[in-house]
Amino acid sequence: AQSVTQPDIHITVSEGASLELRCNYSYGATPYLFWYVQSPGQGLQLLLKYFSGDTLVQGIKGFEAEFKRSQSSFNLRKPSVHWSDAAEYFCAVGGKDYNTDKLIFGTGTRLQVFP
Amino acid sequence: EAQVTQNPRYLITVTGKKLTVTCSQNMNHEYMSWYRQDPGLGLRQIYYSMNVEVTDKGDVPEGYKVSRKEKRNFPLILESPSPNQTSLYFCASSLSSVPLEQYFGPGTRLTVT
């Protein structure tokens, strides 16, 4: 079965510092990979996605993620964090699971940004 | 504006009182889904629908019902809510099931006392 692990429950960074949020997945074939962001009191917004091709994908708000098949990882990065990036971030993997198309979410990483 | 809407956004109810949370999308998406979000558990799928009149159980369907009579609407029904259904609920839609690139509604916070 598919699964997604986000090992960091909570991360704190200073404004202007770089950021990397970790995501590891378990899936037999090449998965569809997503990062979503949830600001307080809001729904989930798609940051970026990987379906195939270039393993470094660019998203909105200056985020990027790199698909590494050998490590089963899809880590999210941003070179310089802004205070408005404080939110919860979810990694998700999509594809066939027992012949059903579904999206499996990680448990999320809460990002806190200090001025 | 392309969007997924949910109503109500907040709801406090009592055990056993039937309720419906509506979900509507204006993107002509075929695939729609309901999730619940609980602390430490992430998002878990309740039900999904591949198209009109086609629905199927997700990972946590117990205590919920859905219907898909029209393409744009996908209501979530709690026939007899219980306190363990207190949660944050999200509706989502996707143009197709592969890939499952979903767009989410703003969420409905439900409290069952």
Side-chain angles (χ1 to χ4, degrees):
Chain A
Q2 300 173 65
S3 67
V4 177
T5 302
Q6 294 180 247
D8 304 305
I9 297 172
H10 187 203
I11 283 183
T12 301
V13 299
S14 298
E15 191 170 19
S18 64
L19 173 71
E20 183 169 28
L21 302 183
R22 296 183 290 164
C23 173
N24 293 97
Y25 67 90
S26 174
Y27 186 68
T30 298
Y32 305 119
L33 294 160
F34 306 85
W35 274 100
Y36 285 87
V37 60
Q38 184 181 24
S39 298
Q42 303 294 314
L44 278 76
Q45 181 182 21
L46 181 65
L47 276 178
L48 46 77
K49 61 197 177 192
Y50 172 79
F51 294 161
S52 64
D54 192 346
T55 57
L56 184 63
V57 294
Q58 303 297 321
I60 62 172
K61 305 185 180 190
F63 285 92
E64 66 177 27
E66 187 171 12
F67 170 57
K68 293 186 177 180
R69 183 191 302 275
S70 62
Q71 298 176 21
S72 297
S73 69
F74 188 57
N75 294 347
L76 181 71
R77 300 193 294 249
K78 187 169 184 178
S80 178
V81 171
H82 187 262
W83 64 267
S84 61
D85 293 324
E88 188 149 23
Y89 292 79
F90 292 93
C91 180
V93 59
K96 290 282 186 190
D97 184 36
Y98 298 114
N99 214 34
T100 300
D101 296 301
K102 56 193 304 184
L103 204 57
I104 304 295
F105 286 85
T107 51
T109 297
R110 182 166 297 279
L111 175 66
Q112 194 170 8
V113 181
F114 280 115
Chain B
E1 179 189 355
Q3 61 183 346
V4 179
T5 57
Q6 295 178 228
N7 282 292
R9 293 289 312 278
Y10 302 91
L11 180 60
I12 299 174
T13 189
V14 296
T15 299
K17 186 175 181 183
K18 181 180 178 179
L19 65 92
T20 299
V21 183
T22 65
C23 172
S24 183
Q25 50 93 5
N26 62 1
M27 296 171 279
N28 202 35
H29 283 174
E30 290 189 351
Y31 186 103
M32 297 187 74
S33 183
W34 276 102
Y35 295 88
R36 60 178 290 173
Q37 183 181 21
D38 302 290
L41 297 177
L43 279 83
R44 295 178 293 167
Q45 191 180 51
I46 302 170
Y47 269 95
Y48 65 95
S49 169
M50 303 278 276
N51 213 325
V52 176
E53 301 293 0
V54 180
T55 64
D56 211 341
K57 296 177 181 179
D59 296 315
V60 288
E62 292 77 23
Y64 305 94
K65 285 176 58 177
V66 294
S67 69
R68 188 95 181 270
K69 294 186 172 62
E70 307 165 276
K71 199 171 189 178
R72 62 183 293 126
N73 295 325
F74 191 45
L76 179 69
I77 303 156
L78 285 71
E79 295 268 3
S80 182
S82 63
N84 64 12
Q85 293 179 297
T86 293
S87 187
L88 180 58
Y89 291 87
F90 288 103
C91 180
S93 72
S94 174
L95 184 62
S96 66
S97 62
V98 181
L100 206 52
E101 182 179 345
Q102 295 196 51
Y103 295 85
F104 283 80
T108 295
R109 184 164 293 281
L110 172 65
T111 302
V112 184
T113 61

